[in-house]
Amino acid sequence: MTQNDIKQQFSHMNPMQQQAVFCTEGPLLILAGAGSGKTTVLVNRIAYILQSGLCRPWNILAITFTNKAAGELKERICSTVPEGGGDIWAATFHSTCARILRRYGDRLGYSSHFTVYATDDQKRLMTDIAKQLNIDVKILPVKAILSEISKAKDRMMTPQEMLREAEHDFRRQSIAKAYEIYQDRLKTADAMDFDDLLCKTVELFEQYPDILGFYQSQFKYIMVDEYQDTNRVQYRFVSMLAEEYGNICVVGDDDQSIYKFRGATIENILSFENTFPGARIIRLEQNYRSTKTILDAANAVIAHNTTRKGKTLWTENAAGERIELHTCEDEREEAQFVAQTITDGVAAGRRYADFAILYRTNAQSNAIEQTLARCGIPHRIIGGHRFYDREEIRDMLAYLQVISNPHDDVRLRRIINVPKRGIGSRTVELAAEIASGLGESIFTVIREADSYPQLSRAAAKLKGFVSLIDGMIEAEESGDYSLAELYDLILEHTDYESYLRAEKDNPDTRIENIRELSTNIIKFERDYGQEADLSAFLEEISLMTDIDNYDADADTCVMMTLHSAKGLEFPVVFITGMEDGLFPSISAMMNPEEIDEERRLAYVGITRAKQKLYLTKTRTRMIYGHTSYSKESRFICEIPDELLSRTGMRRAFSDESRGAAAPSAQPLGAFGKTGGTAQKSPFYQKPAVKAGVTYAVGDSVRHKVFGKGMVMSAERMGSDTLLEIAFDKAGTKKLMANFCRMEKL
């Protein structure tokens, strides 16, 4: 097959996408606007490289930011390039670094079974350290200490360097001392945090040129997605790998750089040409996702940022509906508007999954979630209580983690007396003190408990626990048990289910959860085959984010912060709380750089919508227990009037911002003109049942969405009634009578 024949296979792509696919040599920056098909470009670029015979599959490294994105990328590569597609390194930064460290971490003093500490594990460890250093966590919170340590690691700064830099700053000195102990404790536990995965890999490359040379030779082509969200360590990592061949392709959008609070630096993408001389820049500006109206609004907002590469999204899609800006009295009415709009949309033929509700802060979700529940609208909160954060799941994972790495003090302390074995907290503290003095792990100490007078009384019980763990380690290392069978052994020998029934509320639900974990383990073994060992499973769990569990096929509407929504798309999007002080946040309003980032966040939110976008704001809002009057978000003022349809209640502030005045609390028509029929559903007012209407068991009813049904139970709750209704087609639902808007037959 000739080169022209190969290129002909990509003729379905637009001209700029083809340029990005065919430009294989040297540094390349692909500025990919929202909805411009960047994943399609990445997949086809890899396919073109392989079909052209430029390298073997394992010579390609493709880095993404989430496991979900990495999985989708690899799946699409394998379907496009059936032979060898699975040999491509397609993974997140953290997964890639973990893979390298599992192989060569021993050079830095870590075993191949090192543990990865998540946020809760870090907090638990730092709480102990703060107590050791007599740090008052009310004055210097654990979260603040860990944040400063993370920033130091981003700068590749050691604890000693931080201490020298602190000079006479007592607060910084305290953090530096905590940082030093923190790193020592991690090393003793054969553990790393997420920042360490990156820093230690760079450290490995710097100290061992032979290892760096090995990976430089292996990766002839390097591709990095979401480059605008990289930090300094990530930049250092990929730039070191690219030194031999120079074939680094980064894909990103400076207008979607929204993770500065995580250490991301927009300068990486803005200065790409300076960092990699001779770099080409290709702009992908054709959007395949949104209507022209939505794109025009997004372009108008982001144009107010001055520090950007510059591009303008365009589409061949239709103009679509105007953006609806709805003004509400307060957050309750805002939630009611959202719920009613979803109910009407589903009644008109949409799915619940078509709707996404976005907000700037998690605190805004409460009123919306309550109203959706009362209306019987299925919903899911991304960023809510994750499956792997549940107490019983964390207990079982802690057993698996201690079996994999018995020197993991944090996880060991969690389970040493769960279920109860008569090992008190004082005994554990004594063992920890001995371990700290010896520079050993707690497990090493309790293995020889009878050698320490302080532990003699509890020695038998400690030895019993050690025997349990040693037995499990032996079972795991024997190779006679699958991972699922090892998990069953833990449940059997700890009798954990009996413990839940005797000690915990809702034991049946908790038992269902630990059995569901068994299902997840079985699926993992099925997916990973011979590579499905304990370390691999624990690594996958530790690197998983909540968005990785997002199921786009589930018919539920989705609630999430604007930050969490990046990379997703929905037919209908609500962006709630469009008020100055909330969005943009009050902390950003006095800092031009932070306002720019908030504006990029608005751009991200707007471009999540495919067909219809709703923006909502309130006259007053209670948040964090305080009620205040609201001012219209400056981002609304940056959207041209002709793109907006104003509904709800007009407020003086919203018109003053545009140079007009109008009486407050006056109904507003669909196009912003007073008078005529107000665009106001009865649902926007305080809902109430019709006078004289009550529901009793056996009543037949008709719901706008769920259809016909029968009332199975009616329980009075304050001024409302909780109804359990068996619908003919929708199944059994629990609805609040004042909100369900049913017809009694």
Side-chain angles (χ1 to χ4, degrees), residues 172 180 195 227 300 441 463 507 582:
R172 293 280 293 174
E180 183 172 26
D195 294 317
Y227 191 66
S441 67
K463 288 273 194 174
L582 190 58

Side-chain angles (χ1 to χ4, degrees), residues 385-459:
H385 198 50
R386 295 173 51 210
F387 176 76
Y388 290 104
D389 285 339
R390 290 175 168 85
E391 179 186 11
E392 59 276 11
I393 299 301
R394 289 176 64 80
D395 285 346
M396 298 317 299
L397 287 178
Y399 271 104
L400 290 170
Q401 285 154 336
V402 170
I403 292 166
S404 175
N405 173 17
H407 305 298
D408 184 343
D409 286 355
V410 170
R411 272 61 177 266
L412 183 141
R413 293 177 75 151
R414 180 181 184 92
I415 58 167
I416 195 170
N417 199 40
V418 175
K420 291 179 179 178
R421 301 183 175 90
I423 302 173
S425 58
R426 180 56 184 159
T427 298
V428 178
E429 290 299 328
L430 287 171
E433 289 172 10
I434 295 169
S436 179
L438 296 174
E440 299 284 356
S441 67
I442 294 175
F443 191 79
T444 302
V445 169
I446 64 175
R447 187 190 289 277
E448 306 295 334
D450 47 13
S451 300
Y452 304 100
Q454 306 97 306
L455 303 177
S456 58
R457 292 180 61 185

Side-chain angles (χ1 to χ4, degrees), residues 123 126-131 133-149 151 162 166 169-179:
K123 287 179 179 176
M126 187 52 70
T127 299
D128 288 342
I129 294 169
K131 188 184 299 182
L133 293 175
N134 293 317
I135 294 174
D136 187 342
V137 293
K138 292 180 180 178
I139 298 174
L140 184 55
V142 165
K143 186 177 179 181
I145 298 172
L146 290 170
S147 176
E148 290 300 318
I149 291 173
K151 290 175 183 176
M162 182 187 242
D169 186 336
F170 179 75
R171 180 179 183 275
R172 293 280 293 174
Q173 287 179 351
S174 298
I175 293 172
K177 291 173 184 175
Y179 180 14

